[in-house]
Amino acid sequence: MEEMGSDCSSSGLQELHVLAVDDSLVDRKVIERLLKISCCKVTAVESGRRALQYLGLDGERSSVGFDELKVNLIMTDYSMPGMTGYELLKKIKGSSKLREIPVVIMSSENVLARIDRCLEEGAEEFLVKPVKLSDVERLRDFILRGEEKNEREFSRKRKTSDDSCTPASSPSSSDSDLPSSPISPISVSTVSDEPRPKRARLLDDN
Amino acid sequence: MQRQLANMKQSLFDQGYLDEQFIQLEELQDDANPNFVEEVVTLYYRDSARLIQNLEQALEKNPLDFGKLDSYMHQFKGSSSSIGAKRVKIECTQFREYCRTGNAEGCKKTFQQLKKEYATLKKKLEVYFQVARQAGPVEKACRPK
């Protein structure tokens, strides 16, 4: 019989840091548990504004350096008061500092136009709530593969010991603009060389 | 005790009080977190009490603000769905439909029904968790038939 609460350290899985954004207390508790079981570090916040604050994008200097806040994935609810998940997504994708962080939208409403809009804006995936453990595990594996690839590319770049560190030499994703400044070594990215299939899990019951 | 618990759960499913999501939550429990579902349900009842109150107040206004009502109910439906509260969720959907068509009577009637289901489920789950705590750690999710 498989032990559900498997020892994360012994499983050899790198711990991803996920920022979860949801105005619902209940949903935050559930997503937090889903992520912890999947061996992820979780920071759960209640709004888009708080999320931006945490990511250091609200104009104010965050007290902690970006390094420590390194976020590998953002999972956000769509319908939230104030700033919707879609608006948060746009802000993140519009930021040179943060745009490489994969963003997943969660919504209880299975609206095709909504899904399309989010995917077009750069969301990695659109999950219909309630989110399942299998969704989270699948996401984690996908992000981990991207991170591993990133690490390999980064160490390869370092070996060439070229200060200008031109992004053009690396197989970067076709949709990102080449930043004029050298890529920060701590930038999180799931840069991949093949087009990622945009998936949306559609509600099949109800 | 385990069997009693399994029977209770089966009954809750058969009568449509709970759906698959409840099982999903149970599967997140382990030795380190044996009462996770109870914690979530407790949180749900505590948090949604606020929404119930908002809805009560909003339903007393004249004329009704269907947009606001729908917004509250959307939130309520969301958390109800997250704990697998099937019957409550059904009432939420009905309520939202009445909001959409601007049916004030429909909203009020459905809200009364919703509160009944909400309260009934709370009682049943209280008993269920009581038994669960006595029964001790359960074998990995006994899925109801």
Side-chain angles (χ1 to χ4, degrees):
Chain A
M1 193 183 2
E2 223 183 283
E3 190 53 55
M4 168 58 84
S6 61
D7 187 359
C8 289
S9 47
S10 71
S11 69
L13 280 175
Q14 179 196 328
E15 265 207 342
L16 296 180
H17 181 198
V18 182
L19 177 65
V21 191
D22 200 317
D23 62 314
S24 159
L25 207 50
V26 171
D27 288 354
R28 279 204 303 281
K29 186 168 173 81
V30 174
I31 197 80
E32 206 164 10
R33 181 80 188 125
L34 288 173
L35 288 165
K36 286 203 172 125
I37 282 192
S38 306
C39 301
C40 294
K41 283 198 296 255
V42 193
T43 300
V45 297
E46 67 196 7
S47 70
R49 204 169 64 81
R50 283 249 192 272
L52 292 176
Q53 268 173 2
Y54 186 81
L55 295 163
L57 199 61
D58 65 340
E60 292 172 29
R61 292 216 134 262
S62 49
S63 52
V64 195
F66 189 61
D67 297 39
E68 292 167 69
L69 295 178
K70 177 175 175 173
V71 168
N72 305 111
L73 169 66
I74 297 168
M75 295 182 74
T76 178
D77 187 27
Y78 183 92
S79 318
M80 296 187 291
M83 191 188 298
T84 66
Y86 177 67
E87 286 160 354
L88 175 61
L89 168 68
K90 281 206 289 195
K91 286 218 154 61
I92 291 168
K93 293 303 168 185
S95 151
S96 53
K97 186 165 93 156
L98 302 174
R99 76 159 76 107
E100 297 298 333
I101 307 178
V103 180
V104 168
I105 309 280
M106 306 176 283
S107 175
S108 54
E109 284 166 330
N110 184 13
V111 179
L112 205 54
R114 176 182 293 188
I115 296 172
D116 282 344
R117 208 184 320 139
C118 290
L119 296 180
E120 261 162 47
E121 200 59 43
E124 208 58 47
E125 187 152 349
F126 188 100
L127 296 177
V128 180
K129 283 175 150 185
V131 175
K132 293 184 159 70
L133 185 59
S134 52
D135 294 325
V136 174
E137 288 173 336
R138 186 165 45 84
L139 259 180
R140 176 205 61 203
D141 292 343
F142 174 71
I143 303 296
L144 274 175
R145 280 200 304 274
E147 286 291 317
E148 276 168 27
K149 196 175 275 184
N150 209 39
E151 295 265 317
R152 286 200 302 273
E153 280 174 12
F154 176 66
S155 48
R156 185 155 42 92
K157 266 186 274 182
R158 287 281 257 205
K159 286 199 181 98
T160 64
S161 62
D162 182 348
D163 279 46
S164 52
C165 196
T166 342
S169 57
S170 65
S172 44
S173 89
S174 51
D175 56 346
S176 66
D177 292 326
L178 299 181
S180 49
S181 52
I183 295 174
S184 158
I186 51 148
S187 72
V188 293
S189 167
T190 54
V191 169
S192 63
D193 28 34
E194 63 269 322
R196 288 193 294 276
K198 299 281 191 187
R199 296 185 307 278
R201 182 168 80 78
L202 300 176
L203 199 63
D204 47 16
D205 57 343
N206 282 32
Chain B
M1 264 279 149
Q2 299 275 7
R3 188 137 28 119
Q4 185 187 356
L5 194 67
N7 286 341
M8 283 183 72
K9 183 156 54 172
Q10 186 65 54
S11 163
L12 286 168
F13 272 81
D14 289 344
Q15 293 171 62
Y17 284 104
L18 296 174
D19 64 28
E20 170 70 21
Q21 177 61 13
F22 191 82
I23 301 287
Q24 291 281 326
L25 291 183
E26 284 196 321
E27 291 187 342
L28 303 182
Q29 290 184 149
D30 57 20
D31 291 340
N33 302 267
N35 304 309
F36 176 70
V37 189
E38 187 177 359
E39 287 166 21
V40 178
V41 171
T42 304
L43 188 62
Y44 164 75
Y45 276 100
R46 203 169 355 121
D47 191 55
S48 55
R50 176 185 47 95
L51 281 169
I52 297 265
Q53 211 172 17
N54 290 342
L55 282 158
E56 297 266 17
Q57 286 169 4
L59 281 168
E60 277 164 21
K61 297 236 159 48
N62 195 10
L64 294 185
D65 181 344
F66 290 108
K68 193 182 251 183
L69 284 167
D70 186 67
S71 171
Y72 287 141
M73 192 49 78
H74 169 76
Q75 290 178 58
F76 192 81
K77 183 180 172 189
S79 354
S80 304
S81 169
S82 295
I83 68 157
K86 191 174 180 183
R87 283 205 192 180
V88 174
K89 196 167 71 156
I90 287 171
E91 299 302 330
C92 292
T93 303
Q94 183 63 74
F95 185 94
R96 294 191 75 193
E97 184 53 29
Y98 282 131
C99 284
R100 200 180 63 79
T101 55
N103 186 335
E105 269 319 297
C107 281
K108 290 177 180 166
K109 269 211 191 91
T110 306
F111 186 62
Q112 294 310 314
Q113 187 58 25
L114 184 153
K115 283 193 292 182
K116 271 205 200 103
E117 294 293 351
Y118 177 77
T120 303
L121 178 64
K122 185 175 191 200
K123 285 205 197 80
K124 288 186 184 282
L125 286 177
E126 271 166 9
V127 179
Y128 179 81
F129 290 128
Q130 210 164 28
V131 176
R133 264 181 269 126
Q134 286 163 33
V138 188
E139 295 241 332
K140 210 11 83 182
C142 324
R143 287 177 167 275
K145 299 175 261 292

